[in-house]
Amino acid sequence: MSNSHIPAGFANWQRWAAIVWLLVWVPVYWRTWGPSNFLQLCDIAVILSCIGIWSASPLLISSQAISSLLVDAVWALDALSRLFFGRHLIGGTEYLFDGHYPLWVRLLSLFHAAIPLLLLWALQRLRYDPRGLALQCLIAFLAFGAARFTNPTKNMNFAFADPFFHWVWGPGAVHAFVNTLFMLLVVYLPTHLVLKRFFGQAVHRSIAESRQHDQDTKISNRGR
């Protein structure tokens, strides 16, 4: 068996590209939207994904794939709906069409369209770590709770009112728990099952084949 079957990491230029992106993107977003914006789950996903690529961490990559794939697809649909039909589906991309901000800054938000592809590519090179589900639930709960300390008019992470009924589900901790439970059942768990199905078995086969190859090599060497 060839070593090419074993999940690989990333080339140095790929790891440095992730860091360079953060060095450009973080200051621009900090200046434009303010530091509290980095409590957004989508922004957390960018930071943790880049760190995951730098460190070749299956856990970080898996957790952010769970967080981003479906959510960014909805983001793209909402932006396209506004672009072609003049209305948002659920909202969240209004800033993308706000002429008060420079166009090039707004275009940086197109990372929402790129990061799902990046994460799927990263999962192919590493592996899917099922522990990412629990990690992402913890990240989401903390992000929802922290967003309660931001400007309520921004409704960051929908921490003050849900996007569908515009309801407040009790005190801050309760609302954060309800938001997390919703994300777990509607977004995270289905994504987890899909990723485990398509990126888990292949990895397990590769590991099993690698171990079998090592055992065959040892037996062959003993016979010499």
Side-chain angles (χ1 to χ4, degrees):
M1 174 184 157
S2 170
N3 287 337
S4 62
H5 292 285
I6 302 174
F10 304 100
N12 283 336
W13 73 266
Q14 294 166 340
R15 297 169 64 238
W16 279 109
I19 299 303
V20 169
W21 167 260
L22 288 181
L23 292 176
V24 172
W25 175 77
V26 169
V28 171
Y29 259 49
W30 186 293
R31 180 176 180 180
T32 305
W33 314 111
S36 63
N37 198 74
F38 292 100
L39 293 175
Q40 296 269 32
L41 284 173
C42 56
D43 290 353
I44 292 174
V46 174
I47 296 171
L48 293 184
S49 295
C50 289
I51 295 174
I53 290 175
W54 172 261
S55 60
S57 169
L59 178 59
L60 286 180
I61 295 296
S62 299
S63 67
Q64 297 320 297
I66 289 171
S67 171
S68 301
L69 297 184
L70 184 56
V71 170
D72 281 334
V74 173
W75 183 96
L77 289 175
D78 189 83
L80 290 173
S81 177
R82 171 61 177 81
L83 180 63
F84 291 108
F85 303 108
R87 58 180 299 179
H88 296 277
L89 292 178
I90 64 171
T93 64
E94 290 83 359
Y95 68 95
L96 199 60
F97 303 91
D98 190 342
H100 291 94
Y101 301 100
L103 178 61
W104 70 272
V105 173
R106 288 179 280 149
L107 289 178
L108 287 178
S109 290
L110 292 180
F111 72 77
H112 288 87
I115 200 168
L117 299 177
L118 176 68
L119 290 168
L120 290 174
W121 167 77
L123 284 176
Q124 286 184 325
R125 296 191 61 83
L126 299 174
R127 59 184 173 83
Y128 178 68
D129 189 335
R131 297 176 301 167
L133 177 62
L135 176 59
Q136 182 52 35
C137 287
L138 175 61
I139 292 171
F141 180 76
L142 295 176
F144 290 142
R148 293 284 295 194
F149 297 94
T150 63
N151 188 344
T153 61
K154 293 183 178 181
N155 197 24
M156 191 175 297
N157 284 335
F158 302 107
F160 294 91
D162 73 73
F164 303 105
F165 306 105
H166 308 291
W167 290 350
V168 180
W169 299 88
V174 175
H175 189 82
F177 175 78
V178 171
N179 276 353
T180 305
L181 184 62
F182 172 85
M183 294 298 288
L184 169 63
L185 297 178
V186 177
V187 178
Y188 297 161
L189 184 57
T191 305
H192 161 76
L193 294 176
V194 171
L195 292 177
K196 187 176 181 181
R197 170 66 177 85
F198 287 99
F199 292 93
Q201 290 185 1
V203 169
H204 292 157
R205 285 197 300 269
S206 295
I207 294 174
E209 290 171 1
S210 178
R211 290 174 177 171
Q212 183 62 46
H213 171 73
D214 292 340
Q215 291 177 357
D216 292 343
T217 301
K218 291 179 180 178
I219 295 173
S220 177
N221 290 337
R222 289 173 183 172
R224 293 178 182 176

